Amino acid sequence: MAGKGESILGGEGTVSDFWKMPLEELRNQAAVETLRRHGRKITYVVNRNANFTRVCTVGCAFCGFGKRPGSVGATSDRIDEVLARVGQTPWVTEVCLQGGIDPTLRPEYYLDLIQALREAFPWMHLHAFSPMEIDSLCEKAGCEPPEMMGKLRAAGVGSIPGTAAEILVDDVRRKISRNKLPAARWVEIVKAAHQAGVRSSATILFGHVERWEDIRRHFEVLQRVQEETGGFTEFVPLAFVPYQNRLGAILSKRAGGMKVLEERIRKRAMRLYPLARMVLGQSIPNLQTSWVKLGVAGAVESLGWGCNDFGGTLYEEAITRSSGGKHGEGLEPEQMESAIRGAGYEPQERSTLYGSVKKGVSPRRKVLSPSCRGAS
Ligand code: SF4
């Protein structure tokens, strides 16, 4: 089986088999392949988000998080406010920093924020700024991605989230997010990061207007980047959350109701995860589920569809919740481990870059009440 997924770009009897395969057979093959590659180990990371600004001028139709400047809730945090929030969970090994595109935040803010976090919490890995944010930083600073990546790396960025990928096909991007950076620019920025020694995740936003052909093209783009740089740490499929955004309202009406749309998204997930394992798994071996999108039960189920990573504890998570995500934020490691064990797997904490975690470096963990986990 290993040879079959090696390339989706050609070769007799290769990828088309997976794209056309009956679902049950595809899932069985994905489960076998995951077991062969990862055994029964399921990794996770102890992390939090720090969503430092909700101000955004981009206006993606699928987003409930970004707020137009001047509208209710359009606020950006001061650096000391971000530090205070991160300081509520000093034991995390990773902070993921992402926000809207606030035209008033200067590049210095981003660099100072990273430096301040690095000084205050030197044991935390800073997984910071999407390609969309880096594109905006380049524009504000009047420089190209390699120079900006050099600055971010020097300030303390350890890796970047490969978000803002959505679907890497411009026709689809224009339908759901017409002001977002083009697919080629996303690729350019991610490659610049990898070439600067800053690795990234790779994502896809699925379950909206995309066709399977678009998903196939998205996979091809990711595979080409990975063949060139080897910089992707994992692939993270992100299911569209339709409850509190313009796109969800349009698509649920078209589908004949929210329940029908939910079922469509779920069906797409059930095929997309095993496809990702079989088609991309040779070049990007780590496939991450998302409990904030699918729920804990859905994430556990997806372990049988090819996933080998449970994602993060996410003590602060505002982006999915702002679109009406129903699964909350902040899952304690014990809850995560219990869910993983309950499904017959062996949980293992990891670092952001899939290494082992040094014990005793960060402060001891407290179990938080839900009220002090998040920002909003
Ligand atoms: S997805 Fe990001 S860029 Fe798009 S509107 Fe939301 S915050 Fe802004």
Side-chain angles (χ1 to χ4, degrees):
M1 207 61 260
K4 282 196 170 181
E6 273 165 11
S7 174
I8 63 168
L9 302 177
E12 204 182 321
T14 56
V15 69
S16 57
D17 296 345
F18 297 124
W19 294 92
K20 291 178 185 162
M21 204 172 262
L23 183 60
E24 200 56 33
E25 191 185 343
L26 176 67
R27 281 166 59 179
N28 287 341
Q29 291 207 13
V32 169
E33 174 61 9
T34 312
L35 205 58
R36 187 191 70 76
R37 192 173 270 279
H38 299 281
R40 298 207 72 78
K41 187 175 76 178
I42 301 292
T43 48
Y44 70 91
V45 63
V46 177
N47 71 351
R48 69 170 296 134
N49 287 351
N51 302 123
F52 51 89
T53 177
R54 291 190 73 152
V55 179
C56 191
T57 50
V58 180
C60 304
F62 56 81
C63 177
F65 174 79
K67 303 278 179 197
R68 292 271 174 207
S71 66
V72 177
T75 54
S76 293
D77 298 328
R78 295 188 315 268
I79 289 174
D80 62 295
E81 291 173 324
V82 181
L83 288 180
R85 276 212 318 282
V86 173
Q88 291 176 346
T89 55
W91 57 86
V92 300
T93 63
E94 171 192 296
V95 183
C96 177
L97 292 138
Q98 290 190 96
I101 303 301
D102 177 350
T104 67
L105 287 183
R106 303 305 308 158
E108 294 73 30
Y109 169 92
Y110 292 78
L111 295 168
D112 291 348
L113 174 61
I114 291 295
Q115 271 162 359
L117 283 165
R118 193 168 69 161
E119 277 164 28
F121 311 107
W123 56 89
M124 292 181 194
H125 178 105
L126 304 179
H127 184 60
F129 311 139
S130 72
M132 184 73 211
E133 289 169 293
I134 294 168
D135 178 59
S136 156
L137 283 173
C138 290
E139 197 179 303
K140 287 171 180 169
C143 69
E144 294 300 320
E147 188 183 338
M148 182 50 68
M149 282 316 310
K151 287 182 181 172
L152 291 170
R153 188 181 181 195
V157 167
S159 59
I160 67 169
T163 45
E166 325 312 359
I167 298 285
L168 290 166
V169 175
D170 285 326
D171 288 350
V172 182
R173 297 173 82 71
R174 274 191 286 274
K175 286 182 194 153
I176 62 172
S177 178
R178 66 191 152 86
N179 299 323
K180 208 144 210 173
L181 77 177
R185 180 70 167 169
W186 186 93
V187 168
E188 183 189 357
I189 290 171
V190 163
K191 281 207 245 176
H194 296 175
Q195 280 151 4
V198 175
R199 300 188 72 188
S200 76
S201 55
T203 64
I204 185 171
L205 179 73
F206 70 91
H208 41 87
V209 302
E210 85 285 356
R211 303 162 306 158
W212 282 108
E213 179 55 27
D214 301 316
I215 293 173
R216 178 202 289 258
R217 287 168 69 189
H218 184 97
F219 281 13
E220 287 174 2
V221 172
L222 296 182
Q223 196 164 46
R224 274 197 291 267
V225 172
Q226 187 72 336
E227 279 165 7
E228 200 177 320
T229 69
F232 290 131
T233 48
E234 75 242 89
F235 181 50
V236 192
L238 301 169
F240 172 50
V241 177
Y243 308 109
Q244 290 173 22
N245 50 59
R246 278 183 291 133
L247 189 61
I250 294 167
L251 294 183
S252 65
K253 199 168 167 194
R254 257 190 225 161
M258 192 56 86
K259 285 271 169 249
V260 183
L261 180 60
E262 279 175 348
E263 191 49 28
R264 273 190 201 163
I265 296 169
R266 183 179 150 70
K267 281 199 176 139
R268 184 138 292 208
M270 286 167 71
R271 180 169 277 277
L272 192 146
Y273 280 98
L275 265 174
R277 166 57 61 206
M278 299 313 293
V279 176
L280 284 179
Q282 297 296 319
S283 51
I284 312 177
N286 295 311
L287 179 59
Q288 183 179 115
T289 188
S290 172
W291 64 265
V292 289
K293 308 274 187 202
L294 304 177
V296 174
V300 166
E301 196 181 348
S302 72
L303 300 180
W305 306 343
C307 294
N308 66 294
D309 186 77
F310 214 77
T313 53
L314 286 175
Y315 289 108
E316 176 186 333
E317 198 294 313
I319 295 174
T320 300
R321 286 189 306 133
S322 303
S323 275
K326 298 171 176 174
H327 306 294
E329 61 181 332
L331 202 59
E332 296 292 352
E334 290 81 6
Q335 294 172 291
M336 214 175 248
E337 293 206 357
S338 155
I340 294 167
R341 277 210 185 85
Y345 297 91
E346 296 153 20
Q348 187 174 101
E349 187 183 341
R350 64 164 171 87
S351 69
T352 304
L353 302 179
Y354 287 76
S356 54
V357 173
K358 286 192 199 118
K359 291 291 170 196
V361 177
S362 54
R364 281 172 68 83
R365 181 167 55 89
K366 286 188 295 192
V367 175
L368 293 180
S369 67
S371 61
C372 57
R373 280 177 180 152
S376 47

